[in-house]
Amino acid sequence: MRLLNTRKLELENFQNDRPPYAILSHTWGDDEAPFQIFTRQKRFKGSIGRLKKRRFSKVIMSCKVAKDNGLDWIWIDTCCIDKSSSTELAEAINSMYAWYEAAEVCYAYLSDVSDEDDPLDEKSSFAASRWWTRGWTLQELIAPRKVEFYSTNWIWIGSKWELAMTVEKITGINRTILKEPYFSGLTQRNWSVAQRMSWAAKRQTTRPEDLAYSLMGLFNVNMPLLYGEGAHKAFLRLQGEIAKLTNDQSLFAYGRWPQSTDDIAEDDLIVGGSMYAHHPSRFRVCGDIIPLRRNDGGLPWTPDFSLPNDGYLRIKLRVINNISRPDMRETHIMFLECELTKEPDHVIGLFVHEYDRVEGMPANIHVYKREFASLAKFPRTLAMEAPLQDVFLSSVY
């Protein structure tokens, strides 16, 4: 990990003996400070004035804030990574959540927020900032213990702890997360896969694949970076890695809540019938879906998912013929071990279609595909009456 010295403005490598450091969160502009200018060179003497002339004031000011707070080191993504090295870039992206988590403080620089802005005003430039819409800033908000917000001219706005209620309204992230000292991957109780995905549903990234890569830390996942594979394949791989770490079936609880087939839009069609979502936006209205609680006498927890290398996901689920919602056309209802936070008497169901016969599959194995990204809730009693089946579900497009 490279850190920038806030006094000398020089980069230095650290292994396991990293000193206390600050870290910067920001949205990229057209003229960011490059890695090369901060490497030790005879012609470079760390002149602050020279850097200001080169319009790298974001680096200068973040260093000043850190130095004023007694921190001699800072990490900034634009100038602390040698992006000409694909190996270094991949290592940095896989480590980034941990780096933000380990920082003493994260300075969130919102360049489009006025110095006179009132962050508590729902129509403020703070609430409308581009910073809330970017993919990478999600982990940069959640991972650090302390996040301090700054306006366009580096006027302090407040901390994520103090502004937790406002940030909750902007992002949909529960305020208790913003007040917790750590939020470490899947070890944290209560926050389901669907909830975490919903936080990313409206966010965007410049490079399509980063929409998936920026979520790796949030799910405690590491995977190779394959720029050029496209957003869909990257997000598919991410979900496959999540499925290896958890049996939280809210991973499959994405889509809208149609009252009938008339409410299903063309973009609700799932190409190939995959159980995995093609984009985080599928989870936009799924922020209150959680796994069934264990101690309430409900459905038993299923074993971990099985992921054979044949394009299918093997799982035990409760399935019944679709007679309660024939308007949805699919032949079966598949019950997930998930519920809504405020409706514990209901479970989440998916509408699926059973294949008549799949070559190579034993006759006693049921293979289903999901045709539409639609969800419905059903009484828990109905789900408990459904038989538990060993089923195969398509997991690729």
Side-chain angles (χ1 to χ4, degrees), residues 258-266 268-269 320-334 350-356 368-372 374-376 378:
Q259 298 301 309
S260 70
T261 51
D262 294 337
D263 298 328
I264 297 178
E266 184 178 346
D268 290 327
L269 178 67
I320 61 171
N321 291 327
N322 180 17
I323 58 175
S324 59
R325 287 289 301 273
D327 59 299
M328 297 305 292
R329 299 179 186 172
E330 280 86 347
T331 59
H332 291 76
I333 297 171
M334 183 174 292
L350 309 176
F351 299 100
V352 294
H353 185 82
E354 184 174 13
Y355 287 101
D356 294 331
Y368 298 92
K369 68 175 180 178
R370 189 180 178 190
E371 296 186 341
F372 296 98
S374 55
L375 299 170
F378 297 89

Side-chain angles (χ1 to χ4, degrees), residues 104-168:
E104 297 296 309
V105 60
C106 173
Y107 302 130
Y109 174 59
L110 280 57
S111 60
D112 52 357
V113 173
S114 167
D115 297 337
E116 296 81 25
D117 196 61
D118 177 8
L120 302 182
D121 185 346
E122 293 183 356
K123 297 181 179 180
S124 65
S125 57
F126 178 77
S129 176
R130 179 171 174 262
W131 191 85
W132 305 110
T133 70
R134 308 307 296 168
W136 289 106
T137 57
L138 175 58
Q139 68 173 8
E140 294 163 13
L141 171 66
I142 289 176
R145 289 169 291 171
K146 293 175 60 180
V147 178
E148 306 283 342
F149 296 102
Y150 287 84
S151 65
T152 183
N153 288 310
W154 288 90
I155 303 299
W156 184 77
I157 300 172
S159 70
K160 75 169 179 178
W161 194 92
E162 294 168 309
L163 298 171
M165 290 182 64
T166 298
V167 174
E168 179 184 53

Side-chain angles (χ1 to χ4, degrees), residues 3-203:
L3 294 173
L4 181 65
N5 189 289
T6 59
R7 301 178 187 276
K8 299 179 182 178
L9 297 177
E10 292 180 351
L11 291 170
E12 188 167 332
N13 277 310
F14 293 92
Q15 299 300 326
N16 297 323
D17 57 342
R18 293 193 296 260
Y21 63 92
I23 201 163
L24 179 67
S25 175
H26 64 114
T27 55
W28 282 40
D30 296 329
D31 195 20
E32 297 293 345
F35 161 76
Q36 290 77 13
I37 198 171
F38 294 103
T39 56
R40 292 184 179 181
Q41 302 176 36
K42 290 183 179 179
R43 67 178 183 275
F44 175 63
K45 299 181 180 180
S47 166
I48 292 179
R50 178 181 175 185
L51 287 174
K52 282 184 176 179
K53 291 179 182 178
R54 294 181 67 92
R55 299 187 302 278
F56 300 144
S57 60
K58 190 189 300 184
V59 173
I60 301 303
M61 289 304 299
S62 57
C63 284
K64 180 181 184 302
V65 172
K67 184 172 60 177
D68 290 347
N69 284 279
L71 292 167
D72 294 330
W73 301 94
I74 191 169
W75 188 86
I76 303 173
D77 57 354
T78 53
C79 59
C80 290
I81 305 173
D82 182 3
K83 298 177 184 63
S84 65
S85 168
S86 58
T87 300
E88 181 174 329
L89 178 61
E91 181 181 353
I93 289 178
N94 274 282
S95 304
M96 206 170 290
Y97 188 95
W99 290 351
Y100 274 88
E101 189 177 54
E104 297 296 309
V105 60
C106 173
Y107 302 130
Y109 174 59
L110 280 57
S111 60
D112 52 357
V113 173
S114 167
D115 297 337
E116 296 81 25
D117 196 61
D118 177 8
L120 302 182
D121 185 346
E122 293 183 356
K123 297 181 179 180
S124 65
S125 57
F126 178 77
S129 176
R130 179 171 174 262
W131 191 85
W132 305 110
T133 70
R134 308 307 296 168
W136 289 106
T137 57
L138 175 58
Q139 68 173 8
E140 294 163 13
L141 171 66
I142 289 176
R145 289 169 291 171
K146 293 175 60 180
V147 178
E148 306 283 342
F149 296 102
Y150 287 84
S151 65
T152 183
N153 288 310
W154 288 90
I155 303 299
W156 184 77
I157 300 172
S159 70
K160 75 169 179 178
W161 194 92
E162 294 168 309
L163 298 171
M165 290 182 64
T166 298
V167 174
E168 179 184 53
K169 292 178 181 178
I170 297 171
T171 64
I173 300 171
N174 193 291
R175 73 191 71 171
T176 59
I177 296 171
L178 305 172
K179 292 187 174 185
E180 289 175 352
Y182 285 102
F183 178 73
S184 301
L186 291 169
T187 60
Q188 187 71 20
R189 61 181 179 85
N190 294 334
W191 312 111
S192 70
V193 172
Q195 287 176 310
R196 300 175 202 213
M197 288 293 190
S198 73
W199 305 336
K202 299 179 182 179
R203 293 176 179 262

Side-chain angles (χ1 to χ4, degrees), residues 287-316:
D288 57 351
I289 296 177
I290 60 174
L292 286 175
R293 298 171 176 88
R294 290 191 185 205
N295 59 357
D296 59 2
L299 304 179
W301 291 104
T302 62
D304 293 342
F305 311 143
S306 174
L307 300 165
N309 295 320
D310 58 3
Y312 291 95
L313 183 147
R314 185 172 184 172
I315 186 173
K316 287 187 178 296

